[in-house]
Amino acid sequence: MKADRFFHRQSLPAILIFSMLIFNSCTKETTLKEAYAGEFVVGAALNTRTFAGNDTASSELVQKHFNSITSTNDLKWERIHPKPGEYTFERADMFVNYGEEHNMHVVGHVLIWHSQTPSWVFLDENGDTASREVMLERMKDHIETVMTRYRGRIHTWDVVNEALADDGSLRENNWYKAIGDDWVEKAFEFAQGIDPEVSLIYNDYSLANPAKRDGAVRLIQSLQEKGLKVDGIGMQGHYHLDNPSLENLEASIVAFSDLGIEVHITELDVNVLPSPWNYIGANVEMTHELHEELNPYPDSLPAEVQDELAVRYAGFFRIFREHHEHIERVTFWGESDRSSWLNNWPVRGRTNYPLLFDRELQPKPAFDAVMKVAGE
């Protein structure tokens, strides 16, 4: 609910009191989640410090502005299932407990991904690529164990992450090499019967790219044709000031909603720094050394770039509002600039400014722009 402000001015003339109350009612601070209530939930990805109570200021910001949370790392395989037969749920439990305590929509990220998965998962006892049968059993055990633990508590699961190459074909990752081209199908098959209430989605980056969009449409259609439960698609919003075009973004939202599934904007941020190469995706395996020219704003973001960022976010949110009946959730990848992964990817040690709140957790012009769009 909107914050209430009370003024005690009994000694002032009635007309002045009335004027102050009217002014106050027009300037109440509305939060992000309030501004977009009824259209979609607004989420943030949290690192361990925020939900474990080590960063109380960031936690307060999250509680104020967001009604959905995603764990950046603590539900990934390497954290939750580091060794064969060994599950470590402590941090994941804290994350889910935090979401429940604050009545938030809780997102499980991620069940199956080729990255941040221990090497043992893909190997047999001789150090060779494990067989299809072994890999399917490991996949099934992991999905069933993790989903069962959080049944009824996690509301949306990223079942599979980043299975597609930029041209829309299946990425030839370790899951593909061991299992074959039905590995995504098997993941959804294992997931679909465990929690009938949970939303199961496929998550990937660069889905505004026409070739990758078409590949994702083919993938979802193939799963639907096999009768598998696919509730939605996660469009990772790792964007730049000049890419993707708003037209391509909107075209992808329309293409996916035409499949009869939910659209989730899952990892929204806007990179304002120079790219070290001609690449606009989010492949975590690609990194680059730090050079001065790649870190042009180490102290603060110039006003003109702040304005560019604000215009960019306004454009995104106008599209999200236009198609809000098909959009379930918009999640920022971090709650503020100080926690953004873009400070360290693809170049470690940079100072980036990709989110709506700055390093002091104060709203930026981009926040004002997004709030203005909500009132249009």
Side-chain angles (χ1 to χ4, degrees):
M1 297 177 64
K2 294 181 180 179
D4 290 320
R5 298 176 183 175
F6 299 94
F7 289 85
H8 302 286
R9 296 290 188 271
Q10 295 179 349
S11 62
L12 295 177
I15 187 65
L16 182 55
I17 294 174
F18 179 76
S19 298
M20 291 177 66
L21 289 173
I22 292 297
F23 174 79
N24 180 60
S25 67
C26 295
T27 57
K28 288 180 181 178
E29 182 183 8
T30 303
T31 66
L32 274 173
K33 63 185 179 183
E34 291 170 344
Y36 288 92
E39 297 188 341
F40 40 75
V41 297
V42 182
L46 311 185
N47 60 32
T48 313
R49 287 180 51 82
T50 300
F51 63 76
N54 304 111
D55 185 348
T56 56
S58 291
S59 178
E60 289 171 1
L61 179 72
V62 169
Q63 293 170 45
K64 179 177 180 179
H65 282 284
F66 303 98
N67 50 10
S68 176
I69 56 170
T70 303
S71 171
T72 54
N73 289 301
D74 289 307
L75 280 163
K76 291 175 179 173
W77 196 312
E78 69 177 6
R79 293 276 180 94
I80 207 167
H81 191 181
K83 298 178 181 178
E86 178 183 311
Y87 285 87
T88 55
F89 289 113
E90 181 180 3
R91 290 182 176 182
D93 285 351
M94 292 172 64
F95 167 73
V96 176
N97 290 341
Y98 181 91
E100 289 181 329
E101 179 183 353
H102 300 294
N103 195 32
M104 292 175 169
H105 176 272
V106 180
V107 180
H109 175 76
V110 53
L111 290 169
I112 304 297
W113 188 25
H114 61 275
S115 187
Q116 292 186 253
T117 300
S119 58
W120 66 262
V121 175
F122 306 108
L123 303 176
D124 63 17
E125 61 275 11
N126 299 317
D128 299 321
T129 299
S131 68
R132 172 182 167 89
E133 291 72 24
V134 168
M135 289 295 292
L136 287 173
E137 183 57 35
R138 288 174 179 168
M139 176 188 284
K140 184 173 186 288
D141 170 76
H142 181 82
I143 290 174
E144 290 185 349
T145 300
V146 176
M147 286 190 68
T148 298
R149 184 176 185 87
Y150 299 113
R151 183 162 44 206
R153 303 178 67 198
I154 284 180
H155 307 104
T156 297
W157 271 110
D158 292 340
V159 179
V160 172
N161 196 45
E162 300 175 6
L164 295 174
D166 287 342
D167 65 0
S169 64
L170 279 176
R171 183 196 293 264
E172 295 186 9
N173 60 24
N174 287 331
W175 292 106
Y176 177 94
K177 292 174 183 176
I179 295 175
D181 59 10
D182 64 342
W183 74 271
V184 177
E185 170 189 335
K186 300 303 291 185
F188 276 89
E189 177 186 319
F190 296 147
Q192 69 179 5
I194 299 172
D195 185 349
E197 301 300 321
V198 76
S199 178
L200 303 180
I201 72 173
Y202 171 73
N203 192 53
D204 213 329
Y205 61 81
S206 295
L207 292 181
N209 176 299
K212 198 163 186 179
R213 171 204 308 151
D214 292 345
V217 167
R218 291 192 299 270
L219 176 62
I220 299 300
Q221 287 176 329
S222 71
L223 298 175
Q224 291 174 326
E225 290 166 359
K226 294 177 173 65
L228 294 169
K229 173 181 165 66
V230 184
D231 298 294
I233 189 161
M235 296 180 61
Q236 292 184 23
H238 296 303
Y239 301 142
H240 296 251
L241 289 173
D242 58 356
N243 192 281
S245 70
L246 296 181
E247 292 76 14
N248 278 339
L249 174 61
E250 185 170 28
S252 291
I253 292 173
V254 171
F256 298 137
S257 61
D258 284 348
L259 296 173
I261 59 175
E262 304 165 353
V263 176
H264 298 240
I265 308 300
T266 55
E267 304 183 19
L268 184 59
D269 50 28
V270 179
N271 193 336
V272 302
L273 300 184
S275 175
W277 50 67
N278 186 24
Y279 178 69
I280 57 172
N283 186 345
V284 296
E285 297 170 1
M286 300 179 69
T287 59
H288 196 280
E289 292 183 0
L290 177 62
H291 298 290
E292 186 175 352
E293 65 272 16
L294 297 177
N295 191 35
Y297 317 123
D299 300 317
S300 63
L301 192 64
E304 61 270 21
V305 186
Q306 289 275 23
D307 291 342
E308 285 186 68
L309 183 65
V311 169
R312 189 67 164 147
Y313 267 115
F316 293 149
F317 272 80
R318 287 192 182 97
I319 291 174
F320 300 157
R321 287 201 71 202
E322 177 70 21
H323 299 279
H324 70 88
E325 68 273 17
H326 302 297
I327 295 178
E328 180 73 14
R329 168 174 55 99
V330 175
T331 290
F332 294 86
W333 205 240
E335 76 282 346
S336 71
D337 289 345
R338 74 186 188 190
S339 66
S340 173
W341 76 305
L342 291 175
N343 294 308
N344 289 306
W345 184 90
V347 181
R348 179 168 292 278
R350 294 203 293 182
T351 305
N352 215 323
Y353 306 83
L355 297 169
L356 301 188
F357 297 93
D358 65 21
R359 281 167 171 74
E360 285 69 48
L361 309 183
Q362 297 303 303
K364 296 158 57 177
F367 171 86
D368 298 333
V370 168
M371 296 299 286
K372 183 178 179 181
V373 168
E376 291 178 351

